[in-house]
Amino acid sequence: MADLIENIILLKQRLTNLQTVDFGIKGSIKSLKSTDINIIKNVWNFIDEIFKAESNETIYIDNIHDFLSFQVEIIVKIGDVPGYYKTFNNFLSSNKIKCLSKKFYIEELNYREDVDTIIPSIVNAYKLNLQIILLLSKIADYKKEQGNKLELFFYKSEKGVSLDVAYSENDLYNLRAAKIVDLKTQLLDSIDSSERKQLFLNELISDLDKNGSTYANLLKDWETIIANYEKSFKLYLSGFSFDKIKTSSLEYFQKLSDRLYDSINKVSSYIFGIPIGYILLINNFDFKGEQTLKNISLVTLGILFFLIMWFVFFKNIAEAIGAIEGDIRKFKEKIENRSELKEITTELSNLEDKSIKSQKNKLFLVKVLSAIILIVTILIFLIITIRTDRQSTDADKPKLNFVKIQ
């Protein structure tokens, strides 16, 4: 299509004595050249008629070379060329709701889309207008689209308005919508998009209800609607942001506390569980020393249990406490300048200075306790072993018999 438009433009530039006819335009080429013939062949389907100027002899594609250097008359059906528009109004009538022609040329503006770097202001306004239409279509409660017509419906409480998207070229001249991209992000893609959307719809419906629900009025009042929306959002923030921030901060603080006390519960269980485990282990020793293999197995299990506790469970708890400390520091940095959250900042400091410190002390206590109990277990094993060895040595010594002399 781009090549077609380019060839139509080139052909039109070659024509003189231009006239507007029912089928498009009519003009003359005083001296037909080979380059003209190539262009004419490329757009032949849109040539309504071509003939020799002197004799009105019709020229066909097969014999066009016979008319080199002669003056010819051409009627071009420009209105049938896809993407070629004589005026901006012609373009607008076919692309009012969305731009159906991705590659187009507007003769009145001498502008080709995606080719010319300087975009006329009216085309810029048209593109901004399309973004407004797209945004309104996305936030509308209901839309009815048929061909090149679009009707949007918006509702607020029991009140609703319908908006027929109809406008003219004149309605675009004063359009200013520089914030449309940012507004689209706020209403559709931000975290608080639902609140922002509702506030914007309130202002939109109020404006349409007050000034008339026509799209032309909406374009004229667009900047006012945006300004009112921004004011409403600031009022909304001043009234509700404190509660929202405080609520979310309290929820996060509670999560940190839960994580910390979960680790505390684990350490507490170890304080009671480790001694009990070792007591059961020691209780199964053969204190008589008759089952040496059993004692060796038990002391080996005790050492393995100690290693698992130190290098798995205790390490995991220490890492969990470290992660909580890091999260508390990051959280404090986020809210330390918020006076309304001073209470939470104080609680975080207490959590950091007291609870975590106490938790670290408990973890250290459990480590020391497990080490002491392991040492006691090993000592008991050694005592049993040494005593057994001594008993065996005493049993192996020869006994001396003494005879009483009368």
Side-chain angles (χ1 to χ4, degrees):
M1 185 184 296
D3 290 339
L4 173 61
I5 292 175
E6 184 177 354
N7 280 286
I8 289 290
I9 294 171
L10 291 173
L11 178 58
K12 188 172 181 295
Q13 289 173 349
R14 286 285 291 147
L15 296 178
T16 59
N17 303 321
L18 280 173
Q19 305 173 39
T20 301
V21 296
D22 292 339
F23 299 102
I25 59 170
K26 178 181 179 181
S28 302
I29 297 179
K30 291 184 178 180
S31 178
L32 190 66
K33 298 178 180 179
S34 296
T35 52
D36 297 327
I37 292 175
N38 291 334
I39 293 172
I40 291 170
K41 284 184 175 181
N42 287 334
V43 299
W44 188 262
N45 291 336
F46 299 92
I47 301 294
D48 185 60
E49 190 177 356
I50 179 171
F51 53 91
K52 186 178 178 182
E54 294 178 357
S55 61
N56 289 335
E57 179 183 354
T58 299
I59 300 173
Y60 300 97
I61 195 169
D62 295 332
N63 67 346
I64 191 169
H65 286 281
D66 297 339
F67 297 89
L68 278 170
S69 302
F70 286 99
Q71 180 176 341
V72 297
E73 301 285 332
I74 302 176
I75 298 176
V76 186
K77 298 182 290 184
I78 282 184
D80 293 343
V81 177
Y84 190 102
Y85 302 95
K86 191 171 182 60
T87 66
F88 179 76
N89 232 356
N90 295 145
F91 168 78
L92 202 59
S93 62
S94 302
N95 301 273
K96 186 155 286 187
I97 305 305
K98 59 185 71 171
C99 189
L100 302 175
S101 305
K102 302 305 178 185
K103 304 287 185 181
F104 60 85
Y105 173 73
I106 302 174
E107 181 184 316
E108 178 185 51
L109 304 174
N110 191 26
Y111 170 73
R112 283 184 67 189
E113 177 73 353
D114 290 343
V115 174
D116 295 332
T117 55
I118 300 176
I119 304 175
S121 58
I122 189 65
V123 176
N124 265 329
Y126 167 76
K127 291 181 178 181
L128 289 173
N129 167 66
L130 287 190
Q131 292 186 53
I132 292 175
I133 294 173
L134 179 62
L135 176 61
L136 294 178
S137 298
K138 287 183 178 294
I139 65 174
D141 293 289
Y142 176 72
K143 65 178 181 179
K144 185 168 66 176
E145 185 174 353
Q146 186 175 7
N148 206 30
K149 294 183 178 181
L150 176 67
E151 189 173 6
L152 304 173
F153 299 86
F154 303 94
Y155 301 99
K156 182 182 72 172
S157 300
E158 297 180 355
K159 183 180 293 184
V161 295
S162 65
L163 181 65
D164 182 17
V165 183
Y167 61 95
S168 66
E169 179 181 349
N170 291 332
D171 297 323
L172 299 177
Y173 278 110
N174 297 318
L175 176 62
R176 299 290 181 271
K179 296 182 179 180
I180 184 64
V181 175
D182 185 44
L183 179 64
K184 181 181 176 183
T185 302
Q186 292 177 21
L187 301 187
L188 301 178
D189 302 320
S190 63
I191 297 174
D192 52 358
S193 57
S194 58
E195 291 88 351
R196 288 178 176 273
K197 176 183 172 182
Q198 193 56 53
L199 290 169
F200 178 79
L201 284 174
N202 288 343
E203 297 301 330
L204 176 67
I205 292 172
S206 296
D207 186 88
L208 293 175
D209 188 54
K210 180 174 65 175
N211 299 320
S213 55
T214 66
Y215 189 72
N217 285 339
L218 183 144
L219 292 179
K220 185 172 63 176
D221 296 341
W222 181 256
E223 288 183 303
T224 302
I225 295 172
I226 298 300
N228 290 338
Y229 152 72
E230 290 176 342
K231 290 177 183 177
S232 295
F233 187 70
K234 287 179 181 178
L235 289 172
Y236 167 78
L237 283 181
S238 63
F240 297 101
S241 61
F242 169 75
D243 290 332
K244 292 185 73 175
I245 293 172
K246 188 172 182 179
T247 300
S248 61
S249 299
L250 285 170
E251 289 174 354
Y252 189 65
F253 173 75
Q254 188 60 49
K255 288 180 182 178
L256 289 175
S257 300
D258 291 343
R259 285 167 59 192
L260 181 59
Y261 288 113
D262 180 56
S263 64
I264 289 174
N265 290 334
K266 288 180 181 178
V267 175
S268 299
S269 65
Y270 291 151
I271 290 175
F272 294 103
I274 291 173
I276 292 172
Y278 276 106
I279 288 170
L280 291 174
L281 190 71
I282 294 170
N283 190 52
N284 280 286
F285 273 123
D286 176 26
F287 290 95
K288 294 180 180 181
E290 296 175 354
Q291 301 182 49
T292 304
L293 183 61
K294 177 182 179 182
N295 289 345
I296 293 172
S297 299
L298 289 173
V299 78
T300 302
L301 286 174
I303 293 171
L304 289 174
F305 181 57
F306 173 81
L307 293 175
I308 291 172
M309 293 299 298
W310 266 72
F311 297 103
V312 179
F313 297 112
F314 293 160
K315 185 179 179 182
N316 288 344
I317 293 174
E319 289 176 351
I321 294 173
I324 294 171
E325 279 187 299
D327 290 341
I328 289 175
R329 282 195 299 269
K330 291 177 183 177
F331 192 31
K332 283 176 67 177
E333 288 173 1
K334 288 181 179 179
I335 67 173
E336 62 183 353
N337 295 325
R338 303 299 296 267
S339 58
E340 67 271 20
L341 299 177
K342 186 176 180 181
E343 181 181 346
I344 296 177
T345 305
T346 303
E347 291 293 335
L348 285 172
S349 297
N350 290 335
L351 198 65
E352 191 175 26
D353 298 335
K354 295 180 181 179
S355 299
I356 289 183
K357 187 176 180 179
S358 173
Q359 175 71 340
K360 286 182 176 180
N361 291 336
K362 285 184 179 180
L363 182 60
F364 177 74
L365 174 63
V366 174
K367 284 183 174 183
V368 173
L369 182 63
S370 64
I372 292 173
I373 295 176
L374 176 65
I375 292 170
V376 170
T377 303
I378 294 174
L379 286 174
I380 292 173
F381 170 75
L382 292 174
I383 290 170
I384 294 171
T385 303
I386 292 170
R387 189 182 64 182
T388 303
D389 289 344
R390 284 180 178 177
Q391 288 176 351
S392 298
T393 302
D394 291 342
D396 291 340
K397 285 181 179 180
K399 295 181 179 180
L400 297 175
N401 296 319
F402 298 94
V403 178
K404 185 177 182 183
I405 301 173
Q406 298 291 334

